[in-house]
Amino acid sequence: MRTQVAIVGGGPAGLLLSHLLHLQGVDSVVLERRSAEYVQQRVRAGVLEQGTVDLLTEAGVGERMRREGEVHNGVHIQFDEDRVHIPFKELTGRAITVYGQQEVVKDLTERRLADGGRVLFEVDDVRVAGVDTDDPVVHYTHEGVPHELHADFVAGCDGFHGICRDAIPADVRTVYERVYPFGWLGILADVPPSSDELIYANNANGFALLSMRSATISRMYLQVAPEESLDRWPDERIWAELSTRLGAPGFTLQQGPIFDKSVTAMRSFVAEPLRYGRLFLAGDSAHIVPPTGAKGLNLAVSDVDRLAESIADYYRTGSETGIDTYSAACLERVWRVQHFSWWMTSMTHRFEGPDAAFDRRLQRSQFDYLGRSAASATTLAENYVGLPLR
């Protein structure tokens, strides 16, 4: 089989890239090792930047998002029992939309299949070869039969644990990584959110985040040890700790049945370059950010938006300028987002060790500055709602 662009990974990055290429007349095939049901039910990020919302809308896959997504014009930052509101709309003219990643995947999958797109789920033994030649090939097995997919370009949208990043030789690849000494215990609860906007809370017991997935389902997080066992966190303890960390005058935390729990370790990760020969990395295959800034999905969208335009321009005009500058252009945004996510994490989490008391005083100073400085609040707001995609 032959195509113009072979896309490894059928999550939001791979599906959106395939759709954007289709809109510009470029053929692609998407290969995904998981089942369609698994990908569409996988709980991940739920905060979309203004640029992501606009792109999905312009690409014709934003109708349900516009109908069911929750638009937030601000966010709350809390230190102990003191709370500051950051008014996004007032400070930047933009907002965020809360809409689950799995819903984005459902919308994209439905659209790609309706358009006749080739999306193959449950493929095995995926391997890329010849990416430094004019005829790269993706080897894979589907329904027990081995296949070869020849393409002009290969897009690695297969996540942090995928195979595409390792196709770039180690001697031309540089990896930057920071592993944080804590993780997030995340829950989904069958209860309406206790706030109309997200609350980031820095408490002496540790970080907490009140978020939501819909008008009836709450999504919340607690800072825990990175290898924490869920057995140590029965529902009663979770609600008690959330109530403590999110506690503030006049605030009541609504409680209900918890139907999902998981612990996620936190890291910052960047692999450079994002291009080697005819292979391009996009999304989590190239970079990971701590979830504090809600940037993972949005950064992937930025990557594939630029990649789709670069590849389409190559076929349209013969120019290789876009594909030649893809890595450097993406990395400029990647490192801006890495800094913001690190900054948000540093401001809101409890750190231990000999400098813990000093760190907490710095955090208090930063919190107070947010409350009295429009410039500081605007910086947070501008980065949170997202810089322009290009």
Side-chain angles (χ1 to χ4, degrees):
M1 185 162 56
R2 183 163 193 92
T3 187
Q4 290 174 299
V5 183
I7 301 173
V8 182
L15 290 169
L16 179 58
L17 175 60
S18 179
H19 177 60
L20 293 176
L21 290 171
H22 168 73
L23 293 179
Q24 302 213 52
V26 179
D27 184 56
S28 66
V29 175
V30 180
L31 306 175
E32 168 57 46
R33 69 185 183 92
R34 300 284 193 173
S35 68
E37 181 181 24
Y38 177 90
V39 175
Q40 293 177 22
Q41 294 180 354
R42 182 169 45 191
V43 177
R44 289 292 187 271
V47 174
L48 306 183
E49 295 177 354
Q50 184 71 62
T52 297
V53 171
D54 293 343
L55 177 64
L56 293 173
T57 301
E58 293 166 6
V61 288
E63 181 180 349
R64 192 164 69 93
M65 172 193 65
R66 290 287 191 180
R67 187 174 64 249
E68 300 179 8
E70 300 280 341
V71 177
H72 288 197
N73 293 316
V75 70
H76 300 280
I77 307 294
Q78 182 173 326
F79 193 95
D80 290 336
E81 294 188 349
D82 297 327
R83 191 175 290 177
V84 169
H85 183 250
I86 309 296
F88 295 156
K89 198 75 172 179
E90 176 184 325
L91 295 171
T92 71
R94 290 173 285 160
I96 61 169
T97 297
V98 176
Y99 188 67
Q101 173 176 307
Q102 67 273 22
E103 305 305 324
V104 174
V105 170
K106 291 175 186 176
D107 297 339
L108 287 167
T109 302
E110 179 180 342
R111 181 59 184 270
R112 287 305 298 126
L113 296 179
D115 288 341
R118 291 181 287 180
V119 182
L120 304 181
F121 292 96
E122 298 182 84
V123 301
D124 297 313
D125 306 320
V126 180
R127 178 172 55 88
V128 298
V131 295
D132 55 347
T133 72
D134 292 335
D135 185 31
V137 58
V138 181
H139 302 267
Y140 66 96
T141 301
H142 187 236
E143 297 179 343
V145 179
H147 296 269
E148 289 185 2
L149 175 61
H150 293 261
D152 297 329
F153 302 103
V154 177
C157 303
D158 50 344
F160 182 73
H161 298 290
I163 56 93
C164 286
R165 186 173 64 248
D166 288 339
I168 300 178
D171 61 344
V172 300
R173 188 177 70 213
T174 303
V175 171
Y176 304 89
E177 185 171 21
R178 168 172 288 174
V179 178
Y180 294 86
F182 39 72
W184 277 12
L185 166 59
I187 68 163
L188 285 167
D190 192 9
V191 60
S194 302
S195 170
D196 59 346
E197 294 176 338
L198 279 69
I199 303 174
Y200 286 79
N202 183 334
N203 183 269
N205 286 11
F207 168 80
L209 171 61
L210 186 153
S211 183
M212 58 285 294
R213 280 295 176 267
S214 70
T216 59
I217 296 178
S218 293
R219 179 68 162 161
M220 287 175 278
Y221 300 91
L222 288 167
Q223 176 185 347
V224 296
E227 304 299 330
E228 189 81 345
S229 170
L230 290 175
D231 294 338
R232 299 186 64 244
W233 289 91
D235 292 6
E236 296 78 10
R237 184 186 178 192
I238 290 174
W239 287 119
E241 197 61 32
L242 283 168
S243 297
T244 296
R245 300 188 192 185
L246 293 165
F251 174 78
T252 300
L253 180 66
Q254 304 298 322
Q255 303 182 19
I258 297 174
F259 61 88
D260 183 81
K261 301 178 188 178
S262 61
V263 174
T264 302
M266 294 179 63
R267 61 159 42 93
S268 299
F269 176 90
V270 180
E272 299 183 10
L274 276 63
R275 180 213 176 178
Y276 176 73
R278 294 295 183 109
L279 171 66
F280 300 85
L281 302 181
D284 288 357
S285 65
H287 40 71
I288 296 287
V289 291
T292 324
K295 294 301 175 190
L297 173 59
N298 296 291
L299 199 52
V301 168
S302 174
D303 288 347
V304 299
D305 173 51
R306 184 175 294 276
L307 182 56
E309 182 61 31
S310 299
I311 291 176
D313 188 54
Y314 169 81
Y315 286 114
R316 187 169 53 241
T317 70
S319 171
E320 298 189 9
T321 300
I323 60 178
D324 286 342
T325 60
Y326 167 76
S327 181
C330 286
L331 285 169
E332 182 177 357
R333 187 184 187 93
V334 166
W335 283 109
R336 170 87 300 272
V337 169
Q338 286 286 3
H339 180 270
F340 176 68
S341 299
W342 163 83
W343 179 78
M344 283 285 289
T345 303
S346 301
M347 181 176 62
T348 55
H349 286 68
R350 183 191 67 215
F351 289 84
E352 300 179 352
D355 297 328
F358 185 85
D359 290 339
R360 188 151 177 79
R361 293 293 291 172
L362 290 177
Q363 291 172 334
R364 180 73 214 199
S365 175
Q366 180 62 69
F367 172 82
D368 291 341
Y369 190 49
L370 278 175
R372 67 172 181 264
S373 168
S376 179
T378 300
T379 296
L380 190 155
E382 182 181 62
N383 282 271
Y384 202 101
V385 300
L387 302 174
L389 287 180
R390 297 188 214 150

